[in-house]
Amino acid sequence: MTAIQSSQRGADGTVGKALNILDQVAQFGRPVRFGELLAASEHPKATLYRLVQTLANQGMLTYDEDRQTYAPGLRLVRLAHAAWRQSSLAPIARPYVDALATQVGETIHLAQLDRGQVLYVDKRSASQPIEMFSQAGKVGPGFCTGVGKAMMAFLDENTQADAIRRQAFLAHTPTTLASSDALLAELAEIKRDGVAFDREEHEPGIICIAAPILSEGGRVIGALSITTSTQRQTLDGLLVHRPVLQETAAEIASAAETWQFPC
């Protein structure tokens, strides 16, 4: 953790600690025991227990007495649903995503950028679905996904630099971009070309073409991708869909002009 990150976390106080615990519980992807939380936590046992109990009392976590496990609570689900309706691009984009999926017959992803990471806000599976990491609600890396690179390429210089600093540059596959320099070079190319590709960089056998969704003023509000497998398609084959992909991204952007963008 950097000194800046540590300072920011300290300034957030109890609220920041509680939110970190909610993130931690969510990342397990299943009900989790207190001992598992403690093993992964930076907090002393007494502090963690107090925070977890407060979150449970407030309905942000739910506790199963029989299994002695914690999971996201219904209050958190209600807040998440409200956030999705008010801040997510998904409700506005839904008819355009549906139409694109029907037209191309491949998997469609709609994503937004959150602190340099990709938040998948909607997904339409192909007529013949293929197994892959992405699901609506999941968070993925920005540096090795088509939607992530499409969004980062069109950020302003300072925001882009911050997003790049947040990348882990883990080598998920042999084609994963391995450094910030390599990513910067590709982002410049994407900005010139208008589309990004995932060349099996996040998952073996999974490729995509992606386009940014930009406001009238050029602000990045999301990205749209057409994803498939190397068994079904090639990158050159995906290029055939470039016009309809960019057209759909522009339609979503136009529909979103009256949307109240989150700060």
Side-chain angles (χ1 to χ4, degrees):
M1 182 188 303
T2 67
I4 293 176
Q5 288 173 321
S6 178
S7 174
Q8 288 173 335
R9 179 168 293 185
D12 289 338
T14 302
V15 174
K17 293 175 183 177
L19 290 174
N20 287 334
I21 291 169
L22 290 175
D23 280 338
Q24 190 179 358
V25 171
Q27 286 169 6
F28 273 89
R30 57 171 173 79
V32 58
R33 290 179 174 270
F34 179 81
E36 293 177 288
L37 287 173
L38 183 61
S41 176
E42 62 184 25
H43 303 304
K45 182 177 181 180
T47 301
L48 179 64
Y49 183 77
R50 174 174 54 83
L51 290 168
V52 166
Q53 288 302 109
T54 299
L55 289 168
N57 291 340
Q58 292 296 317
M60 302 298 280
L61 291 177
T62 183
Y63 180 65
D64 186 319
E65 292 187 5
D66 294 333
R67 295 181 174 83
Q68 296 186 333
T69 56
Y70 294 91
L74 289 179
R75 184 176 181 183
L76 184 60
V77 172
R78 288 195 298 270
L79 289 172
H81 184 64
W84 183 85
R85 284 188 290 106
Q86 296 176 40
S87 299
S88 168
L89 196 56
I92 294 167
R94 182 181 295 117
Y96 306 99
V97 171
D98 287 343
L100 181 61
T102 299
Q103 183 170 348
V104 303
E106 299 288 359
T107 298
I108 308 300
H109 290 119
L110 179 70
Q112 291 175 251
L113 200 63
D114 182 16
R115 299 184 179 186
Q117 304 304 304
V118 169
L119 173 62
Y120 292 98
V121 296
D122 209 353
K123 175 181 179 179
R124 294 294 179 275
S125 294
S127 52
Q128 296 179 332
I130 51 178
E131 187 175 345
M132 63 184 78
F133 165 85
S134 57
Q135 297 292 337
K138 272 196 171 183
V139 176
F143 73 101
C144 60
T145 54
V147 285
K149 291 186 293 181
M151 289 185 283
M152 283 196 290
F154 288 84
L155 296 174
D156 65 74
E157 185 175 348
N158 290 336
T159 308
Q160 185 185 81
D162 180 69
I164 292 174
R165 279 194 297 269
R166 294 176 182 274
Q167 305 307 310
F169 293 106
L170 297 175
H172 296 278
T173 75
T175 57
T176 303
L177 296 176
S179 69
S180 58
D181 288 342
L183 177 59
L184 264 173
E186 181 153 341
L187 293 182
E189 182 179 336
I190 291 168
K191 190 167 185 178
R192 289 192 300 268
D193 198 41
V195 294
F197 293 96
D198 179 347
R199 303 175 179 87
E200 300 184 73
E201 296 162 51
H202 189 211
E203 297 178 86
I206 302 298
I207 57 175
C208 89
I209 181 172
I213 301 171
L214 306 174
S215 71
E216 187 175 347
R219 177 177 177 176
V220 176
I221 59 176
L224 192 66
S225 72
I226 299 172
T227 304
T228 188
S229 73
T230 52
Q231 293 181 337
R232 291 160 56 124
Q233 189 59 274
T234 64
L235 287 170
D236 286 341
L238 282 177
L239 263 176
V240 173
H241 301 308
R242 174 176 174 164
V244 68
L245 174 68
Q246 292 183 303
E247 179 182 343
T248 304
E251 289 173 340
I252 294 172
S254 179
E257 280 300 321
T258 58
W259 182 45
Q260 296 299 308
F261 296 101
C263 296

